[in-house]
Amino acid sequence: MSAQPTLLQGFGAVVRRDLLLAFKRPGDMLNPLFFFAMVSTLFPLAIGPASEQLIAIGPGVVWVAALLSALLSLNGLYLGDLEDGSLDQIVLSPQPLPLLALGKTAAHWLVSGLPLVIVSPVVAVSYQMPAGTIGVMMVTLTLGTISLSLLGSVGAALTVGLNRGTALLSLLVLPLAMPVLIFGARTVSLAAADDAVAAGIYFLAAYCVLALSFAPFAAAAALRISND
């Protein structure tokens, strides 16, 4: 009789499975990244090379592009599992459903959120941001994209299988994501002006911990409701 997998093994198996599926569909993984890069780099071309204007609008543009890019990829978080029938297996698994939902969220961030953080310095150069500001932007984007993936997992679980679920998902996630957008963009703007940024980073970190505390359980409850 084989031993039941540990919690860590179950979590790792979900992450590994979703990463393998994502790499088999590179278009789904690259579309949000291309959207982020295109939206972010078109603004400097339209506004012109004035450094004061670019530095002033850069944080807001980058954060709005990151938020919209995250929304593009959220609808497919559980949709593929619903279509191939594996969502039933996930819900009925002996492993805790919140842990499996957290694993799928972690894989989603590794595929969609982490690439945005890695590409963001290249985008920041087009806005003539100094090196210190770029570092702050990467920190805020890391915390912010983790929060967006966690919040999005709840919305995706609530809307999985619904017609026009993408629009409803956006309506559910955007109000919760507004604090992340406001504090993220403002913190980067303060860094560009050489002001203190610790308060903004602490807020984003606290928001990320709060989302990590409740989102897996809310997503698990939503999956059970959607699967009935």
Side-chain angles (χ1 to χ4, degrees):
M1 182 176 180
S2 59
Q4 182 175 333
T6 64
L7 297 179
L8 185 59
Q9 289 173 333
F11 176 83
V14 171
V15 174
R16 184 169 59 253
R17 170 186 177 271
D18 279 20
L19 289 178
L20 290 174
L21 290 175
F23 284 115
K24 289 181 179 179
R25 300 191 297 266
D28 295 343
M29 183 172 60
L30 294 177
N31 284 341
L33 185 61
F34 287 153
F35 178 85
F36 171 74
M38 286 190 298
V39 171
S40 301
T41 54
L42 284 176
F43 275 85
L45 297 176
I47 292 174
S51 59
E52 295 81 5
Q53 282 185 312
L54 292 177
I55 294 176
I57 69 167
V61 172
V62 170
W63 262 96
V64 170
L67 175 60
L68 295 177
S69 299
L71 290 176
L72 283 177
S73 60
L74 285 175
N75 190 52
L77 188 57
Y78 299 106
L79 186 59
D81 297 323
L82 178 68
E83 291 174 346
D84 63 16
S86 58
L87 185 60
D88 294 332
Q89 302 299 321
I90 292 174
V91 174
L92 297 174
S93 170
Q95 296 287 335
L97 186 54
L99 182 69
L100 301 182
L102 181 60
K104 292 188 67 64
T105 304
H108 174 268
W109 181 79
L110 290 173
V111 169
S112 62
L114 183 59
L116 296 185
V117 178
I118 295 173
V119 170
S120 62
V122 179
V123 174
V125 171
S126 63
Y127 291 93
Q128 303 181 21
M129 293 184 187
T133 305
I134 295 175
V136 172
M137 183 181 67
M138 293 183 70
V139 172
T140 58
L141 280 176
T142 299
L143 296 172
T145 51
I146 292 174
S147 298
L148 291 175
S149 291
L150 289 167
L151 296 173
S153 69
V154 180
L158 285 170
T159 59
V160 63
L162 297 180
N163 292 327
R164 300 179 181 177
T166 303
L168 182 58
L169 174 59
S170 300
L171 291 175
L172 291 172
V173 174
L174 278 176
L176 298 174
M178 283 300 104
V180 178
L181 173 65
I182 293 170
F183 277 85
R186 181 58 180 165
T187 302
V188 180
S189 297
L190 290 174
D194 290 329
D195 289 332
V197 299
I201 293 176
Y202 289 155
F203 174 85
L204 291 172
Y207 197 93
C208 183
V209 171
L210 179 63
L212 183 61
S213 300
F214 83 85
F217 299 96
L223 284 175
R224 289 191 179 98
I225 293 171
S226 300
N227 201 51
D228 289 341

